[in-house]
Amino acid sequence: VQVTLACGTVGQELQLCKDGAARWAKKTGNTVKVFESPNLTNDRLGLYQQQLAAKSDAIDVYQLDIIWPGLLSQHFVDLKGKIPAAEVNAHFKSIIAADTVDGKLVAMPWFTDAGLLYYRTDLMKKYGYNAAPKTWTELSTMAKKIEDGEKKANSTFTGFVFQGKNYEGLTCDALEWLVSFGGGTIVDDSGKITVNNANAAKALDTAASWVKTISPAGVTTYGEEEARGIFQSGNAAFMRNWPYAWALGQSDDSKVKGKIGVAPLPSGGNGNAATLGGWNLGVSMYSKNQAAAIDLVRFLTSADEQKIRAIEGAYNPTRPALYKDQAVLKANPFFGSLLDVFTSAVARPSGPTKLKYNQVSQAFAGAVSDVLAGKTKGAAAVKKLETDLARIKGRGW
Ligand SMILES: OC[C@H]1O[C@H](O[C@H]2O[C@H](CO)[C@@H](O)[C@H](O)[C@H]2O)[C@H](O)[C@@H](O)[C@@H]1O
């Protein structure tokens, strides 16, 4: 049987996806065709929605972002009952809950993600700092001092890079700013629009103050890979990114190998916050090879495969047991020391806003983008956003 598997292509994930698929093919005698998905999750969603709306059988196994199960559930096979309960229950309960829509298990967890602060340990030492910044104010001060010093020899050096482009990644970064300032989660768990508040406005104004000071003007065009490229080539003191950037930063061709520290993102006065990300594997209802596709999902989400991906690519397992695995912890010491960051990551409001989440996220990222670009201030942006979200909500989510 031939199964087509949609894989992401950010960093090493395409290669790791192909490697895993090849191991399954070898074990079962089946073949796997890999479909290469676009880098940005927004682009991927558009493409997948087209395929699924057309009931296309071209892709059997989809890689689903943690925010999509609610949006796409009707197109996926219910894995409950098809995968033994003990196997399902070996994953974090919260992720299984996010993958379950109205009792239907839409996808199996593959890896989880949470936003982290990466920093240059060598430069911290050089500029007299002995700990990562605990607050955004500290980060600004440290980034400015390091940038001013390093710029003397390297004019392209910058203080802080993050995902500032207008896309889903900006929603993730900005949610971290909001929560860390006590500004809430845009829409709360009950579905109430909460974004129009002073702390949220302050969070956005603070982020805007970084652009063209500690962050380059171009940060408003950066996704995950642009930020990583700058940090990994030795041109930034701090970076917000997902765990995958660790393995690449520590690789032999990285200019910052052995010089990277990882810490929780700074606080804006309300503690540190990391947005929950991650990807899951679901079987299309339109697949002609559902049994083989389910077997591939079980194989790729198994402990053995998650362990390989954790060691080779720093992809966080979704199985709590692997956080006690010595080889996994050796490759990624922060999986142990920052376990709290992963287990208490903040979900985007895809649960309460259901089918309208994508519209909510686009409106939020658009508003944040305007503040970063200096087109508007935080208070005006969150006020307008509240009105826009109320329109999107209409009589209910
Ligand atoms: O960690 C690497 C992954 O980074 C992206 O996904 C993460 O960011 C998305 C926003 O840009 C977010 O929606 C998702 O939940 C996060 O896991 C990228 O899209 C993935 O391909 C990549 O593996």
Side-chain angles (χ1 to χ4, degrees):
V1 178
Q2 174 169 283
V3 174
T4 301
L5 165 69
C7 298
T9 52
V10 172
Q12 336 179 51
E13 73 179 331
L14 179 61
Q15 192 54 51
L16 292 181
C17 191
K18 283 182 177 168
D19 294 348
R23 284 188 287 272
W24 176 76
K26 192 166 172 217
K27 183 180 164 216
T28 60
N30 295 317
T31 52
V32 184
K33 194 171 149 203
V34 165
F35 176 90
E36 297 183 17
S37 306
N39 260 5
L40 297 185
T41 185
N42 302 60
D43 298 343
R44 234 179 268 181
L45 178 61
L47 190 79
Y48 290 178
Q49 281 179 316
Q50 277 172 22
Q51 297 279 329
L52 295 166
K55 299 190 172 19
S56 163
D57 62 2
I59 299 173
D60 301 288
V61 176
Y62 283 84
Q63 192 181 316
L64 301 185
D65 199 335
I66 192 71
I67 49 184
W68 296 347
L71 202 62
L72 303 178
S73 65
Q74 75 271 28
H75 301 293
F76 286 86
V77 170
D78 186 359
L79 297 172
K80 206 181 207 168
K82 300 215 162 62
I83 297 185
E87 195 173 317
V88 174
N89 294 335
H91 295 265
F92 284 117
K93 277 197 181 62
S94 55
I95 304 180
I96 293 294
D99 281 331
T100 305
V101 180
D102 297 332
K104 175 175 176 178
L105 182 59
V106 176
M108 281 291 281
W110 197 22
F111 67 93
T112 186
D113 251 348
L116 300 169
L117 180 72
Y118 289 82
Y119 60 95
R120 288 279 299 278
T121 48
D122 56 330
L123 295 179
M124 299 280 287
K125 205 169 159 207
K126 180 171 170 188
Y127 290 88
Y129 298 115
N130 53 20
K134 298 237 167 359
T135 65
W136 292 110
T137 310
E138 270 176 36
L139 177 132
S140 275
T141 310
M142 291 162 78
K144 178 85 177 73
K145 184 166 167 190
I146 300 173
E147 179 178 327
D148 286 350
E150 292 302 294
K151 266 210 157 129
K152 289 176 193 150
N154 173 5
S155 62
T156 54
F157 194 89
T158 189
F160 180 42
V161 289
F162 57 92
Q163 291 71 47
K165 184 187 171 95
N166 183 357
Y167 79 119
E168 184 62 30
L170 180 56
T171 294
C172 295
D173 287 36
L175 179 65
E176 287 158 354
W177 309 332
L178 255 63
V179 173
S180 79
F181 274 86
T185 56
I186 313 161
V187 172
D188 72 11
D189 286 348
S190 73
K192 186 171 170 234
I193 299 163
T194 58
V195 78
N196 185 11
N197 68 77
N199 289 334
K202 190 171 169 208
L204 299 187
D205 287 332
T206 303
S209 76
W210 303 330
V211 182
K212 297 192 214 158
T213 57
I214 57 166
S215 303
V219 75
T220 55
T221 64
Y222 296 171
E224 283 82 11
E225 285 291 85
E226 290 80 7
R228 181 177 70 81
I230 291 173
F231 186 79
Q232 200 173 308
S233 53
N235 291 319
F238 297 101
M239 168 176 73
R240 185 274 179 206
N241 218 323
W242 306 102
Y244 86 103
W246 168 257
L248 292 156
Q250 292 293 71
S251 64
D252 286 338
D253 59 1
S254 164
K255 290 238 166 59
V256 293
K257 183 180 180 180
K259 300 175 183 168
I260 311 174
V262 185
L265 286 159
S267 165
N270 187 48
N272 58 280
T275 294
L276 177 71
W279 292 81
N280 309 273
L281 296 173
V283 173
S284 163
M285 296 253 282
Y286 319 114
S287 162
K288 300 239 163 58
N289 304 306
Q290 290 186 10
I294 292 171
D295 194 61
L296 174 58
V297 168
R298 292 183 64 186
F299 179 86
L300 291 175
T301 57
S302 68
D304 286 352
E305 283 298 309
Q306 290 205 350
K307 180 170 172 172
I308 295 173
R309 290 174 55 83
I311 293 171
E312 294 183 0
Y315 288 100
N316 281 67
T318 57
R319 294 167 167 268
L322 285 172
Y323 288 80
K324 296 198 179 84
D325 184 290
Q326 288 313 311
V328 168
L329 292 173
K330 186 166 177 259
N332 308 286
F334 64 95
F335 280 15
S337 57
L338 301 184
L339 187 57
D340 270 11
V341 170
F342 300 112
T343 52
S344 62
V346 182
R348 285 162 275 175
S350 54
T353 61
K354 300 179 193 152
L355 297 179
K356 294 182 180 171
Y357 170 72
N358 205 36
Q359 281 168 276
V360 169
S361 178
Q362 281 181 11
F364 177 61
V368 176
S369 179
D370 284 347
V371 179
L372 292 184
K375 290 185 191 152
T376 181
K377 294 283 181 210
V382 294
K383 186 161 182 252
K384 177 172 180 295
L385 181 60
E386 180 182 45
T387 312
D388 293 345
L389 293 181
R391 196 175 314 119
I392 294 169
K393 181 175 181 182
R395 295 210 180 127
W397 295 115

